[in-house]
Amino acid sequence: MIKVSVMYANSADVKFDIDYYCQTHMPLVAELLGDALKESAVDYGMAGGAPGEAPAFVAMGHMTYESVGTFQKAFGPHAKQIMADLPNFTDAQPVIQISEIKM
Amino acid sequence: MIKVSVMYANSADVKFDIDYYCQTHMPLVAELLGDALKESAVDYGMAGGAPGEAPAFVAMGHMTYESVGTFQKAFGPHAKQIMADLPNFTDAQPVIQISEIKM
């Protein structure tokens, strides 16, 4: 199983609408990707590791797929539509990472 | 519920022993933190979002707790011992983030 993490970099004046992200964007992704998407998770940044430190990412979305191939096949045809929704909730630049789920 | 993510920054010559991390470090953390730690997950970086791009993080460990207070109370007394184990599997600098689990 693999995880696609979309991590939105934090900054002092970042815009991020967490309600839109959870209630509109993630359901849109789930609807478009269908059965290929096994699980979704959303983390909303609270703090960094040191006292008073801001979180590195304002929010992170994690999506689980069977394999990289399954993800690419499901995501490719909808990539444009999904990416076009980003300005509706954020001006942050997402860092995208594909990981193997070890535990 | 909150998630503590420990994200190890990737670099060209980074050292990261994923077997030690999964088989020795994470079990050590679980043993020391006891019931306060609800769930653990380990992601091992495969790729970035663009073709040929390296992952931003060589590995990420995610740990779920009831609250920030529960985490701090459980982690504080063992922080030194846990951090002292890091050189046994990596020379990467971890980025630590506390997030609220929204989904």
Side-chain angles (χ1 to χ4, degrees):
Chain A
M1 298 282 276
I2 65 117
K3 189 186 284 182
V4 177
S5 297
V6 184
M7 302 177 279
Y8 296 88
N10 196 14
S11 64
D13 56 353
V14 72
K15 165 195 155 185
F16 198 94
D17 184 340
I18 188 69
D19 292 333
Y20 184 97
Y21 188 63
C22 292
Q23 290 159 24
T24 304
H25 184 72
M26 292 301 276
L28 170 74
V29 171
E31 193 193 321
L32 291 173
L33 299 197
D35 290 346
L37 178 61
K38 299 296 177 202
E39 268 182 64
S40 295
V42 171
D43 301 331
Y44 191 41
M46 296 170 73
E53 191 186 24
F57 299 104
V58 61
M60 297 189 269
H62 306 282
M63 285 144 286
T64 303
Y65 300 87
E66 196 66 40
S67 68
V68 175
T70 311
F71 158 65
Q72 286 172 332
K73 196 174 158 191
F75 185 77
H78 306 291
K80 258 191 191 168
Q81 188 180 348
I82 291 169
M83 298 311 283
D85 191 40
L86 265 62
N88 291 327
F89 61 89
T90 192
D91 56 3
Q93 266 309 103
V95 174
I96 298 170
Q97 165 149 354
I98 302 176
S99 304
E100 182 189 347
I101 299 176
K102 300 291 273 187
M103 275 178 62
Chain B
M1 298 284 275
I2 65 118
K3 189 185 285 181
V4 177
S5 297
V6 184
M7 302 177 279
Y8 296 89
N10 197 14
S11 64
D13 56 353
V14 73
K15 166 195 154 186
F16 198 93
D17 184 340
I18 187 70
D19 292 332
Y20 184 98
Y21 187 63
C22 292
Q23 290 158 27
T24 303
H25 183 74
M26 291 302 275
L28 170 73
V29 172
E31 193 193 320
L32 291 173
L33 299 197
D35 289 347
L37 178 62
K38 299 297 177 202
E39 267 183 66
S40 295
V42 171
D43 301 332
Y44 191 41
M46 298 172 71
E53 190 187 25
F57 299 103
V58 61
M60 297 190 270
H62 305 283
M63 284 145 287
T64 303
Y65 300 87
E66 195 67 39
S67 68
V68 176
T70 312
F71 158 66
Q72 286 172 333
K73 196 174 159 190
F75 184 76
H78 306 290
K80 258 192 192 167
Q81 186 180 349
I82 291 169
M83 298 312 282
D85 190 41
L86 265 62
N88 291 325
F89 61 90
T90 192
D91 56 3
Q93 265 310 101
V95 174
I96 298 170
Q97 165 149 355
I98 303 175
S99 303
E100 182 189 348
I101 298 176
K102 298 291 275 187
M103 274 177 64

